[in-house]
Amino acid sequence: MKVKYYLVTLFIVIIYISCGVTDNEKIINIEPGKRDYVWTKDSIDYGNLPGRIEMYSMWGSSPTDVWGASFSAPDLRNSFWHYDGVKWSRAIWDTPISIPGNGSIIIGGVWGTSKNNVWGFGMRQYSNPDRYEAFVMKYDGSTWTEVTGDKDNMPVGFYDICAVNENNFWISAYYNIYHYNNGIWKRYSIGNLGAQAITVIGDNVYIAAYEGGSNTLYMMKKINDKFIAIDSTSLFDGKFGTRGLDQIDNKLYSYGLHGIFSTTITNNTINKAEWGQVISVNNGGLYSSYVISSKDVWVVGWNPNAFHFNGTDWQPITIDNNRTGQSSGLEGIWGDGKEIFICDTEKGIVYHGR
């Protein structure tokens, strides 16, 4: 069974951009998300440069303003993209990424709250000697600028993000968890564990991590000023996955190699004894999720289907009848309830549902 891991030196960089719905959203009478999208393939402007579009991270302010990023691109110029409503184009020009003598910069994650507040997360590499450092940039609606600060506490790499609000968010990046709060960065080490999914439930911060070489997965919780393992399971027959943690009302959903799992939440605390499998997949894993609302949740991966939750049930969604087995991998995903974008990183395709 094919499991997709992409490494840049020591950094695992498959990306997810969601962590659940807000308390305010729960009290709104929300319509179930639609499932009858008509799927097409977006146009991609490669210009005179080689490569293919491979986006593991997406975020947009609207269907005519969508950003995408990926650490996996062999050419750094393929790492950052933008969709303007007509086509996808490389977006590194006129950003700090393209400044000569600025080190080799690659963007692996993108997230925002409005068209005037978009963040790009990645890392910068220097040679002679080889070293890596944090790289973060921010868009104000017209200009991308590098975010300066305490590099020792800023994220090097990117895996997942969960936002409390636009000035308070958490990022996982392999051996570390990073917290940004009103301009201040703080780093939390989790030793030799690979941090993957992250979520914030009330005042509690949870991460899903794995131990390389042991096939053991861990659920960890921030207790006092450290992340402590509170539960564990097996990669191959486990009760939860590490590919996403999304709070939907009073449940926590997790995704992984064998499907979708859930448990209940009581007083902002996950119930370790109530994990159960919701969807079983035997053909590729599920790796990326996007929460539009509590009744509009999408999960994709190397399964032939995408999966959609409408507040009542999960249903497989066929977006391309030519997708079979593990021939292609759906990873980067973003939508607004009216349109949705999903990148097939293996084939260099962006599926566009309208």
Side-chain angles (χ1 to χ4, degrees):
M1 186 166 288
K2 190 174 184 180
V3 184
K4 292 294 287 184
Y5 292 91
Y6 285 97
L7 298 177
V8 177
T9 64
L10 296 177
F11 305 103
I12 291 205
V13 293
I14 301 175
I15 298 157
Y16 316 86
I17 308 293
S18 66
C19 59
V21 297
T22 65
D23 290 337
N24 290 335
E25 186 188 46
K26 296 176 189 177
I27 64 174
I28 300 174
N29 185 18
I30 303 168
E31 292 294 322
K34 70 178 186 176
R35 291 171 169 171
D36 59 345
Y37 285 99
V38 176
W39 297 94
T40 58
K41 298 174 183 177
D42 278 347
S43 173
I44 303 168
D45 179 12
Y46 287 105
N48 297 320
L49 296 177
R52 66 184 178 200
I53 195 167
E54 300 178 49
M55 297 182 296
Y56 289 83
S57 172
M58 284 191 201
W59 184 85
S61 67
S62 76
T64 60
D65 178 33
V66 187
W67 301 90
S70 173
F71 272 118
S72 70
D75 188 322
L76 300 185
R77 294 170 295 186
N78 291 334
S79 72
F80 200 49
W81 298 85
H82 183 257
Y83 182 75
D84 61 4
V86 177
K87 64 183 182 300
W88 289 91
S89 303
R90 287 178 174 85
I92 66 167
W93 318 118
D94 298 321
T95 75
I97 305 173
S98 62
I99 298 175
N102 203 22
S104 297
I105 298 168
I106 191 166
I107 297 295
V110 62
W111 168 83
T113 60
S114 72
K115 65 180 181 180
N116 300 324
N117 182 52
V118 188
W119 295 71
F121 304 97
M123 59 187 178
R124 176 189 275 119
Q125 179 182 10
Y126 292 102
S127 58
N128 296 321
D130 288 341
R131 65 182 178 91
Y132 295 88
E133 70 175 26
F135 177 81
V136 178
M137 65 180 188
K138 193 175 180 182
Y139 186 64
D140 64 5
S142 61
T143 305
W144 284 97
T145 55
E146 181 174 359
V147 177
T148 59
D150 182 0
K151 296 290 186 180
D152 290 336
N153 282 295
M154 295 172 68
V156 181
F158 181 89
Y159 196 105
D160 192 13
I161 184 169
C162 186
V164 178
N165 57 56
E166 66 178 300
N167 294 309
N168 185 349
F169 51 81
W170 295 80
I171 290 174
S172 59
Y174 203 47
Y175 294 132
N176 299 287
I177 304 298
Y178 300 89
H179 184 208
Y180 177 86
N181 190 8
N182 292 308
I184 304 299
W185 293 94
K186 185 171 182 178
R187 179 176 65 89
Y188 299 83
S189 172
I190 58 169
N192 65 344
L193 298 180
Q196 298 188 328
I198 187 166
T199 192
V200 179
I201 305 174
D203 293 329
N204 294 325
V205 184
Y206 293 95
I207 63 171
Y210 78 97
E211 185 174 21
S214 72
N215 297 318
T216 301
L217 310 180
Y218 293 93
M219 192 65 60
M220 307 181 76
K221 179 181 178 181
K222 181 177 175 291
I223 300 175
N224 295 325
D225 214 33
K226 295 182 178 180
F227 280 87
I228 306 296
I230 59 170
D231 202 358
S232 64
T233 191
S234 168
L235 170 66
F236 298 106
D237 58 357
K239 58 184 178 178
F240 55 82
T242 61
R243 303 296 184 167
L245 291 174
D246 291 328
Q247 179 190 1
I248 311 298
D249 295 331
N250 66 339
K251 286 189 175 182
L252 181 67
Y253 289 92
S254 170
Y255 320 107
L257 183 61
H258 296 297
I260 301 174
F261 307 84
S262 74
T263 188
T264 57
I265 300 170
T266 304
N267 296 325
N268 295 326
T269 301
I270 64 173
N271 296 318
K272 298 183 293 182
E274 295 188 16
W275 283 106
Q277 192 166 32
V278 178
I279 293 290
S280 175
V281 298
N282 297 311
N283 197 353
L286 299 178
Y287 300 147
S288 302
S289 68
Y290 197 84
V291 178
I292 299 170
S293 76
S294 60
K295 295 183 180 180
D296 198 357
V297 183
W298 289 82
V299 181
V300 297
W302 282 71
N303 190 269
N305 297 308
F307 290 87
H308 180 257
F309 180 67
N310 67 356
T312 301
D313 61 13
W314 288 90
Q315 186 177 110
I317 304 295
T318 299
I319 64 174
D320 187 342
N321 289 324
N322 293 321
R323 293 191 73 249
T324 59
Q326 300 172 53
S327 62
S328 58
L330 304 179
E331 300 276 2
I333 180 170
W334 178 84
D336 66 352
K338 297 178 181 179
E339 298 185 31
I340 191 165
F341 301 80
I342 303 174
C343 185
D344 184 330
T345 59
E346 191 76 359
K347 292 186 175 180
I349 294 171
V350 181
Y351 291 105
H352 191 163
R354 295 178 174 89

